[in-house]
Amino acid sequence: MNNKEIFFIVAALAAATVITRFLPFVLFPKGKKVPSFVVYLGKILPFAAIGLLVVSCFSGVSFLSYPYGLPEIICVAAAALIHWKKQNTLLSIGVSTALYMVLIRFVF
């Protein structure tokens, strides 16, 4: 790719990022009632995203051969336990990711 193509790709990505950041403020300005379907999506989509991540986590795991999916099962359980106890999403994701890296590098 030449410099002109790279510039247009970066400009398009920057524009898309700016639009997705500011569009909610344009569509739902302060003082305007947020539609009920947007409130519903705000409540349900985080759970759907987590479900999708769990499914994708286990999609490539072979439970019939070593290590039988143990690192993944341990880390999902750790993430669930940490989130249940601490109610901190960033902590549960960070700790379970670090635990997974340790398990696949040094244990399994």
Side-chain angles (χ1 to χ4, degrees), residues 17 75 91 98:
T17 301
C75 293
L91 181 67

Side-chain angles (χ1 to χ4, degrees), residues 76-89 91-92 95:
V76 167
L81 181 67
I82 292 168
H83 189 71
W84 179 57
K85 291 287 188 184
K86 298 292 184 182
Q87 296 293 311
N88 186 331
T89 305
L91 181 67
S92 61
V95 170

Side-chain angles (χ1 to χ4, degrees), residues 74-76 78-80 82 91-101:
I74 291 168
C75 293
V76 167
I82 292 168
L91 181 67
S92 61
I93 291 172
V95 170
S96 61
T97 301
L99 177 62
Y100 182 72
M101 292 297 130

Side-chain angles (χ1 to χ4, degrees), residues 30-83:
K30 192 172 184 176
K32 184 179 177 187
K33 187 177 182 317
V34 178
S36 60
F37 73 94
V38 174
V39 174
Y40 171 74
L41 289 176
K43 290 180 182 177
I44 201 71
L45 282 180
F47 299 107
I50 294 298
L52 181 66
L53 289 173
V54 170
V55 168
S56 68
C57 170
F58 286 113
S59 67
V61 176
S62 175
F63 293 101
L64 300 176
S65 63
Y66 184 81
Y68 309 107
L70 288 175
E72 290 83 2
I73 292 169
I74 291 168
C75 293
V76 167
L81 181 67
I82 292 168
H83 189 71

